[in-house]
Structures are given as C-alpha cells and as structure tokens.
Amino acid sequence: MDSSWTVTSALLLAAFISSAAFSPFDTDFKLEGPPSGLVQCYTANGEDYRGFQNQTSLLGGKPCLFWNETFQHPYNTLKYPNGEGGLGSHNFCRNPDGDVQPWCYIPDHEDGIYWKYCDIPTCQMPGNLGCFRDSGHPPTLSGASEINNKLTIQNCISFCRRKRYKLAGMESGYACFCGNEVDMQERGESSNTECNHVCFGDHTQPCGGDGWMIVFDTQVGACGGNYTSPSGVIYSPDFPDKYGASRVCYWTIQVPGSSSILFNFTFFDISDQTDMVELLDGYTNQVVARFDWRSPPRELLNVTGDFVILYFYSDRTNQAQGFALLYQAFRSQDSLTAEAEGGDEDEGAGASSTVEPRPASGVTERSNSTSNRRSSQLLYVITSSPGKPEHNMPGQWAGRGETTGHNAMWTIYALAALLILTVIAMVAKLLLHVSVKSQNIPTVSGSDSCSQSTVSSEPWIILYRPSTISLFKKKLKNHHGDLSPLVGH
C-alpha cells in the first residue's frame, strides 16, 4: 500500500514540475478535471495554453497553419517575433488576442472564415465544471438567478456565493444561475465551443451559449479559504476578473502528515508596487517568501512542514489580473523516492528532498520550524481582515492570542489623527477670536462709530431675545455717500 502510494506521489511530483498534472480545485464540492486527467489551462479563456494540439478538434478537426507562415493574417511571428502570446515556429492552438478560448488559422476557408476555435479537452481551468445543455425543464441550476447586462464570470460567482450556493452558471452572456448540484450525465456535457459566447461585461470571458450553461464552483476567486487535501489550486480574489482594491485575504494550506509542500505560480500578474503575495509558516507566522511586481516568482518553491498560510494584499490603486497557485503536499519518503527516480532519468533534475535539502534546478527550498508532533493539529484563520504580523503591511494575521509590532503602526495613526484634530481646533479658536474682536456692535447714540464699523466689517445680523430688541446691520449700495447702518428698534 505504501509503495504504491509512494510511486503515485512521485509521478504527481514529476507532473507538477511540468505544470501539467494537478488535482482540481479543492472545495467541499469535488471538482472534476479534464477527461484526460491533465490540466493545461489555468485561465478562463485559455490565454495561458501552451500545449501541443495542432488541430481544431481531436476527432475530425481541421489542421492548423503554422504561425510563421500566416503573414497574410494579423497574428504571425513576423509581427510578434519574441514569442508573444505563445506564437512561434509551430502550428499549436494559441490565444494571442485574448479571445474566449484558443484558436488557430485553418487552410480551408469556410464562408470566408479563415480561423476556428480549438476544442481542447485539457484546456479547462480548475473550478470550471464544463458546458451543459439547459432546456429549462427543469433548469440546470434551480437556485437564485439574475439578469445582468454587465455580467462577468466573477460577477455571477460572487452573486451565488453571497446567496450561499456552491455552483454558479452563466448562459447567453448575460444570465446568471445558482445551485448546489447538477446532473452532469443527464445534462449531456458538451465541448467548450458551445459555451463560448462572450460575457456582456468582459468580452475576453466565456459566459455560456444559447441553451448551454457554463458552470463554475463558487470558491473560484474567493478571498480566503482552508485547504487540507494533498493538492489544489488557489486563485487570487475576484479571479478571473481583476482583483479588487484594498483586498486582504488569507488561505491556509494544512495537510497533516506531510513533510513539505511544493508551490507553483502558473500565472502571476501584480502591477502595483505595494500589492504583494506572501507565504508564511503556519505555526510561527514568519514570512517564507514574498512576491510583488518587482520580484515575481520565477521558480518552484518547496516549503518544509505541513502548514502554510498564503497572504494577499492590494492597495487602493492599479488592480491587475492576480495569480493562480498550484500546491502539492508530500511526505518525506515520497520526496526522497521522487528525487531518486528523477536522478535515475536525469542527474541534473528532480524534486528537492525535505530530509536532505538538495534543491534542483528551478526549485527553491524554504524551511520552517514545524514539528512533527504538531502536524495533526488543524488550525484555521478568519478571512475577514485580522491584524498583520511583524512586517509593516496593514491587515496581516498575527496568530491566535498574539500581538505584533503592527499595533505600533495603528498607534502612530491614532496620534497623527489626534495631532491633526488639535491643530484644527487651535485654528478654529484663532479665527473665532479674530472674528469676534473685529466686529464692534454699534450703539444708537454713536453714529460715528457705527459708520466706521460699517466700513471695516462685513454685513451681519444679531437677534436678541425677547424679540422686542433686534439689531440689524448691512451695507447700503443705493445711497450716495451714506454708509450709516440701519438701526431698528
């Protein structure tokens, strides 16, 4: 039993390094992966597809033209010589223009059409359950629904998540449906080409078709979560839309019994200098790795231990697409076996061992202070906006019953606010003093003083109670040379 589990884990590790094999998104609802068991896309429209399918469909599809021979068309290697969009001297399906799914140019024109979408079974992001026929009797998803002329995938997912549903479905580009289950066999799952109508709110995203519904798990793009399965995929908040402003999110990855967790960012787009992603030791809250727009992840990251916290922070400006993060947990014997097998095939390649740290090319190893006696304890975090640990960025979690130096920052904020209020009060008092001092209230007998006061001050009205006594003062504009005030009794 252990030997078979070890071999399976070794194979999973090798697939992880090539970013090809991964278990689907980890939620209460078990997501189904692509039919082949391989995942080659982690974006909703397959813009990141770098696979090798070179025809529009695996069964009876049309062959694709080479990108370095399509100079008569807008996308070719002459116009994009540096591999932009995955173009090159090949004829594999790609999505260089951010369409709803990968496509390619075809040699045979059909009614003037010189390109076609590619039906790629492996290009289905984790969290996307597929495309299902919706006859409406009964509906595919029977929960809440809404019509939205600015619909995006995340708009619908967020709507259903707020309603406490597990699934969100989009149809015809503008209709959103919610539910908790879908009969995939009865509904007749189809290829993604049936669900490639663009979302009305974002023309780069697929939002179903006429009579066809594309279904997503509502945990996609959630701000926080708890993961305990050996492998999974975590998306940035609001994915596949751009992440929102002032986001503070935490995800816990705790796999009891594992000795290390391997992380791979398959997609990373953070454009602001203060937005960042961090990996922290789950027990000590120490930062293991930090990534931002200046220092994006460039290699796999192997963290020893069974408990890691993923932290994301965004400020109020310059939102971007975010990230897609894959993780795979291993026990010590699995890592050793995988490294040994990798060494037999290629001496220079292989996964790093958590027992004898020897990181291979492309793999960075980080260690933490996790002890085996604590590996069975499951800890969870509140994902709403707790405090932040020692490094100075607002919103970081400090751990249960712990305080950090971050409190000092809030103290500084409070003192600054108090200082500002004090200055405002002093200025207001000074202005009030000057205003009262500059206004000489005239008497009935002192006409000269009234005249002088009128010239030097602005109009004002003073009412005294009882109402039998009132004093009015204003400037006269229509009397020549008479600047005396009107005094009423």
Side-chain angles (χ1 to χ4, degrees), residues 78-108:
L78 183 63
K79 187 175 181 180
Y80 301 97
N82 299 319
E84 296 91 340
L87 304 186
S89 301
H90 58 75
N91 63 337
F92 306 132
C93 298
R94 293 293 183 261
N95 189 3
D97 59 344
D99 209 332
V100 291
Q101 68 184 81
W103 56 274
C104 71
Y105 294 117
I106 57 176
D108 299 327

Side-chain angles (χ1 to χ4, degrees), residues 22-249:
F22 236 86
S23 297
F25 197 85
D26 177 42
T27 61
D28 293 336
F29 182 87
K30 186 62 176 177
L31 300 181
E32 297 296 334
S36 66
L38 300 178
V39 178
Q40 293 182 306
C41 294
Y42 296 92
T43 56
N45 63 354
E47 194 169 357
D48 61 334
Y49 177 70
R50 296 297 182 268
F52 306 109
Q53 182 168 318
N54 58 2
Q55 55 191 48
T56 57
S57 177
L58 294 179
L59 298 176
K62 293 184 175 298
C64 297
L65 294 177
F66 281 77
W67 296 102
N68 59 338
E69 298 177 356
T70 57
F71 303 123
Q72 72 275 25
H73 300 310
Y75 292 93
N76 53 70
T77 56
L78 183 63
K79 187 175 181 180
Y80 301 97
N82 299 319
E84 296 91 340
L87 304 186
S89 301
H90 58 75
N91 63 337
F92 306 132
C93 298
R94 293 293 183 261
N95 189 3
D97 59 344
D99 209 332
V100 291
Q101 68 184 81
W103 56 274
C104 71
Y105 294 117
I106 57 176
D108 299 327
H109 291 198
E110 295 180 355
D111 300 327
I113 298 176
Y114 53 86
W115 64 273
K116 290 193 70 174
Y117 287 119
C118 296
D119 180 18
I120 307 173
T122 57
C123 188
Q124 181 174 312
M125 63 173 279
N128 177 0
L129 274 67
C131 180
F132 302 92
R133 182 181 298 278
D134 183 24
S135 62
H137 304 289
T140 302
L141 297 177
S142 57
S145 62
E146 70 167 357
I147 302 298
N148 187 348
N149 289 330
K150 295 183 178 180
L151 186 69
T152 66
I153 292 176
Q154 188 54 228
N155 283 350
C156 182
I157 289 176
S158 298
F159 170 76
C160 296
R161 189 190 300 131
R162 289 193 300 268
K163 300 287 186 180
R164 305 287 184 178
Y165 289 101
K166 296 180 179 179
L167 303 178
M170 290 123 269
E171 189 170 339
S172 300
Y174 62 88
C176 174
F177 301 90
C178 308
N180 288 321
E181 59 181 7
V182 56
D183 191 341
M184 302 181 185
Q185 308 231 349
E186 182 179 337
R187 290 293 166 185
E189 183 177 2
S190 178
S191 66
N192 290 330
T193 55
E194 299 289 351
C195 287
N196 59 12
H197 285 204
V198 298
C199 299
F200 279 24
D202 189 338
H203 290 182
T204 67
Q205 298 180 6
C207 275
D210 294 333
W212 292 92
M213 182 182 296
I214 186 170
V215 181
F216 283 83
D217 189 278
T218 56
Q219 288 302 312
V220 173
C223 183
N226 301 301
Y227 293 79
T228 58
S229 69
S231 61
V233 182
I234 302 175
Y235 289 104
S236 56
D238 307 316
F239 195 88
D241 296 357
K242 293 183 177 180
Y243 56 79
S246 302
R247 283 291 206 172
V248 180
C249 306

